[in-house]
Amino acid sequence: STMVLAACGGNSNSTGASEKGSDSASGEGGKRTIKVSIGVNDKHPEYEASLKFKELVEAESDDLTVEVYHSGQIADDRSAIEMLQFGTLDVTIPSTSPLVNFIPAYGVFDLPFTVPNEEVADKVLDGPFGDKMLEMVDQQGLVGLAWWENGFRNLTNDVKPVAGMEDVKGLKIRTMENEIHLDAWKALGANPTPMAFTELFTAMQQGTIDGQENPYPTILLSKYPEVQKHISNTNHVYTPFIFLFSKKIWEELSAEQQDIISKAAVEAGKFNRERTREVADESLETLKKEMTFTEIKEGEFEKFQEAVKPVIDKYKDKIGAEIVDEFLAEVDKAK
Ligand code: TF8
């Protein structure tokens, strides 16, 4: 069958294993152009870090060239993941949330109000739990090479200031293509719709939705203040960026090329975290001038958390109870 052919096909010279994706083969290598697709624009720290990845790879390798495509010109997050599976695109660095459509366990990162700050996120992602999650994408024809940062997500809308649960009621909120986010916003009383990031600006401009949620840099650099009046510090979830390589293409690379790429992905990820955090602080200051910033009132975070509890319970089995418990334990340990 095709399955068997696919499993036996390709290059049989499966010697040198790399650090990451260590159970997958390597090939002959040779001259290659690595195409990287990201959904955000060329003002975003994720783009800067993608250029850093390019610089690192090209400095180390004589036969690898990297091309970076921003703004979802190649594809939105979900389609880009599919292209990696088919081997028609080399790299994408999406939020983990659309990956849940392929690997339910990834929903662990979508559970709201679990990660308190960036330091805890770093410890969990850089430790054994993060490694285990990176390895897990192998089953979907992907190689997970590094964690990058998008940041904590915050709510914006064009209708009213949001200071607590009451204000969220009835707001038409765009969510990522992820059922946990969808159910969490329903539980908070909003009226959510899933949509690709590439369609979001137009949807807000045309008023088909009232609001959306993203980290401060993405909100500012995607020019959302042009179409949104209000912003609040909901900080409701930390969904990381994940650096994904097509397994099909990966196995054609030489062990040396794989090594150069793995290291560059991790190195550029460190740069990405630093830049994202600098830009996040600056972005919030600018957003406070361009929009109405409303602080979430005391006691309201507790109400949010209480309201989303049934959503966490609902998805625990689907994600895998063990993974959820392990994640929460790692978060606690890191606090
Ligand atoms: C979203 C995400 C996006 C990223 C990017 C487009 O709201 O936060 O910023 O996944 O790849 O869709």
Side-chain angles (χ1 to χ4, degrees):
S1 71
T2 25
M3 282 285 287
V4 174
L5 279 177
C8 300
N11 204 311
S12 55
N13 132 46
S14 58
T15 45
S18 67
E19 307 175 19
K20 289 278 163 59
S22 51
D23 58 341
S24 58
S26 54
E28 279 177 353
K31 269 206 181 317
R32 297 242 165 206
T33 300
I34 306 294
K35 283 201 167 89
V36 178
S37 165
I38 59 170
V40 289
N41 66 25
D42 60 353
K43 306 287 180 291
H44 199 280
E46 191 186 31
Y47 181 71
E48 279 180 61
S50 301
L51 292 183
K52 171 67 89 184
F53 169 76
K54 172 183 166 70
E55 182 192 311
L56 292 168
V57 168
E58 292 179 354
E60 287 298 317
S61 168
D62 297 330
D63 43 25
L64 295 176
T65 307
V66 178
E67 287 176 0
V68 182
Y69 296 87
H70 58 83
S71 307
Q73 313 166 45
I74 291 190
D76 60 48
D77 283 353
R78 199 171 162 168
S79 327
I81 294 168
E82 283 165 0
M83 288 175 76
L84 260 59
Q85 293 178 317
F86 287 122
T88 51
L89 173 68
D90 306 81
V91 174
T92 189
I93 317 162
S95 294
T96 50
S97 309
L99 250 190
V100 171
N101 299 296
F102 305 85
I103 309 168
Y106 261 75
V108 73
F109 297 119
D110 297 304
L111 302 175
F113 304 109
T114 49
V115 179
N117 56 49
E118 284 94 355
E119 290 67 40
V120 169
D122 290 355
K123 281 191 197 153
V124 174
L125 293 172
D126 296 344
F129 183 83
D131 288 346
K132 175 171 153 178
M133 294 305 290
L134 283 180
E135 279 159 27
M136 200 183 281
V137 304
D138 179 82
Q139 49 168 283
Q140 282 293 322
L142 305 165
V143 183
L145 291 180
W147 299 110
W148 285 22
E149 179 159 284
N150 194 7
F152 281 92
R153 304 180 74 87
N154 292 290
L155 181 68
T156 70
N157 83 90
D158 205 32
V159 180
K160 60 185 168 189
V162 171
M165 273 278 279
E166 265 315 299
D167 307 319
V168 175
K169 288 228 159 70
L171 281 181
K172 281 190 246 162
I173 304 294
R174 171 270 180 176
T175 70
M176 289 188 277
E177 297 177 280
N178 178 291
E179 57 186 1
I180 303 175
H181 289 232
L182 197 66
D183 276 351
W185 284 105
K186 277 186 196 157
L188 295 174
N191 184 0
T193 323
M195 191 183 293
F197 182 79
T198 40
E199 289 161 40
L200 178 52
F201 188 89
T202 310
M204 290 189 285
Q205 196 171 37
Q206 295 179 343
T208 50
I209 51 166
D210 300 323
Q212 65 83 45
E213 39 83 58
N214 252 299
Y216 296 134
T218 304
I219 293 170
L220 178 69
L221 301 168
S222 309
K223 298 195 178 337
Y224 294 171
E226 286 180 9
V227 289
Q228 299 273 278
K229 280 197 211 74
H230 302 281
I231 183 161
S232 308
N233 60 336
T234 52
N235 278 309
H236 48 278
V237 76
Y238 181 93
T239 50
F241 277 145
I242 180 170
F243 191 105
L244 295 172
F245 208 99
S246 159
K247 190 178 175 187
K248 225 174 164 177
I249 302 173
W250 185 255
E251 293 183 340
E252 294 169 1
L253 300 178
S254 69
E256 193 202 346
Q257 289 175 330
Q258 290 178 345
D259 191 50
I260 289 171
I261 292 171
S262 304
K263 288 186 176 137
V266 170
E267 206 47 44
K270 286 184 195 152
F271 170 79
N272 163 266
R273 272 184 190 163
E274 277 167 33
R275 279 299 292 144
T276 304
R277 286 167 200 180
E278 284 168 18
V279 172
D281 293 340
E282 297 161 13
S283 300
L284 178 58
E285 290 318 304
T286 311
L287 287 170
K288 281 179 173 170
K289 290 177 198 135
E290 296 185 5
M291 302 171 84
T292 311
F293 178 78
T294 308
E295 192 115 23
I296 299 297
K297 275 188 305 204
E298 250 199 71
E300 291 300 317
F301 279 113
E302 287 75 6
K303 285 189 205 165
F304 284 145
Q305 270 172 299
E306 195 54 35
V308 298
K309 256 191 196 148
V311 179
I312 298 188
D313 292 341
K314 176 177 167 187
Y315 283 98
K316 200 166 175 183
D317 282 341
K318 207 162 177 182
I319 295 169
E322 264 170 50
I323 300 259
V324 173
D325 289 338
E326 193 183 335
F327 174 71
L328 297 177
E330 289 294 319
V331 167
D332 265 341
K333 221 167 60 185
K335 273 181 195 168

